[in-house]
């Protein structure tokens, strides 16, 4: 596992399993928020990293979505830390195996019922959690969410995009429910104009909004 501080309040943890897989630690006023939970073999490394950094206790997990490479370490972490886990309400029936993910023939229980809670909403807007502002960005999955850290001007993008050589690329087609919707949801980077975008599969991208129109042209979307 590789740990790297990427801004004043955010660290990335990366492993390689054919492709890179990132999760993020965010220091908040009340402890540490883990954004995404990676693969099962990351659990001990995540907890050891939080202890080593001495940035406070793990207080919650926020999920960008419920695919297996984003929820893998939850069971092991919860066996040691009784913390809440949040995801968009639209994602829950797919994670819990009540519905098959779009373009999948069978439902799969990726997390046991009642383990995750829905992100709270103010009308149509998702409520801020700690220092992170969630935004619903469906397409890769029905309840995909990105998290914006306004103080650090960093967007934690999950699978909103992938990246290659510090350029944004489309999310992985084989796992994306609706590519057209996913790319259109990616317009959030033009609205927020973050200095830095972090994605699960790939390197960080600076000023990603400058690349968005180029990507849409390449994909004819």
């Amino acid at each position: 596992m590789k740990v790297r501080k990427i801004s004043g309040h955010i660290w990335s943890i990366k492993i390689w399993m054919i492709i890179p897989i990132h999760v993020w630690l965010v220091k908040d006023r009340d402890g540490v928020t883990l954004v995404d939970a990676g693969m099962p073999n990351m659990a001990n490394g995540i907890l050891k990293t939080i202890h080593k950094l001495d940035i406070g206790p793990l207080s919650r997990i926020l999920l960008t979505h419920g695919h297996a490479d984003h929820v893998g370490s939850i069971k092991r972490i919860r066996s040691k830390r009784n913390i809440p886990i949040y995801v968009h309400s639209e994602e829950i029936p797919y994670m819990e195996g009540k519905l098959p993910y779009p373009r999948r023939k069978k439902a799969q229980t990726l997390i046991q019922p009642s383990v995750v809670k829905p992100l709270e909403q103010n009308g149509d807007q998702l409520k801020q959690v700690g220092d992170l502002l969630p935004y619903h960005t469906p397409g890769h999955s029905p309840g995909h969410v990105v998290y914006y850290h306004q103080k650090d001007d960093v967007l934690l993008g999950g699978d909103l995009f992938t990246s290659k050589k510090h350029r944004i690329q489309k999310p992985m087609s084989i796992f994306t429910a609706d590519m057209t919707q996913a790319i259109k949801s990616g317009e959030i980077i033009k609205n927020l104009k973050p200095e830095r975008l972090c994605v699960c599969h790939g390197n960080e991208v600076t000023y990603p909004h400058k690349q968005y129109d180029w990507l849409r042209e390449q994909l004819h979307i």
Side-chain angles (χ1 to χ4, degrees), residues 20-205:
I21 296 174
H22 288 86
V23 302
W24 302 278
L25 303 177
V26 182
K27 182 180 178 181
D28 289 317
R29 287 159 290 183
D30 59 348
V32 177
T33 299
L34 172 64
V35 178
D36 282 340
M39 302 298 288
N41 62 346
M42 297 179 74
N44 287 338
I46 289 169
L47 294 175
K48 287 179 180 177
T49 298
I50 294 171
H51 178 74
K52 184 177 180 180
L53 291 173
D54 193 24
I55 52 177
L58 180 60
S59 57
R60 67 179 72 87
I61 297 174
L62 300 180
L63 300 174
T64 59
H65 61 298
H67 288 168
D69 56 337
H70 295 257
V71 304
S73 70
I74 284 176
K75 185 176 181 180
R76 294 181 186 177
I77 289 175
R78 287 192 84 246
S79 71
K80 299 178 180 181
R81 303 285 190 277
N82 185 22
I83 55 171
I85 302 163
Y86 299 96
V87 71
H88 195 282
S89 60
E90 291 192 23
E91 196 77 1
I92 293 175
Y94 301 97
M95 299 171 62
E96 293 183 345
K98 296 180 177 70
L99 293 172
Y101 271 104
R103 297 181 61 206
R104 295 289 177 264
K105 293 181 179 179
K106 295 182 180 179
Q108 183 181 6
T109 302
L110 297 164
I111 195 161
Q112 293 301 311
S114 302
V115 169
V116 294
K117 301 177 181 181
L119 289 162
E120 294 183 19
Q121 294 197 204
N122 278 330
D124 293 334
Q125 301 296 316
L126 294 168
K127 288 182 66 174
Q128 183 167 329
V129 185
D131 290 328
L132 293 169
L133 286 166
Y135 292 89
H136 187 204
T137 50
H140 181 69
S141 71
H144 191 281
V145 169
V146 297
Y147 296 95
Y148 180 51
H149 195 289
Q150 194 168 18
K151 291 180 183 176
D152 290 6
D153 203 11
V154 173
L155 185 66
L156 302 178
D159 285 354
L160 183 69
F161 301 103
T162 58
S163 71
K164 185 176 181 181
K165 296 181 179 179
H166 302 284
R167 294 193 68 84
I168 57 171
Q169 307 287 329
K170 66 181 180 180
M172 288 187 285
S173 298
I174 190 172
F175 299 115
T176 298
D178 185 330
M179 185 62 74
T180 297
Q181 185 184 39
I183 297 303
K184 289 181 178 178
S185 285
E187 192 166 6
I188 189 74
I189 61 175
K190 288 192 71 174
N191 298 333
L192 296 175
K193 294 182 173 60
E195 179 181 351
R196 194 171 303 176
L197 168 71
C198 300
V199 294
C200 180
H201 309 298
N203 296 316
E204 299 154 31
V205 179

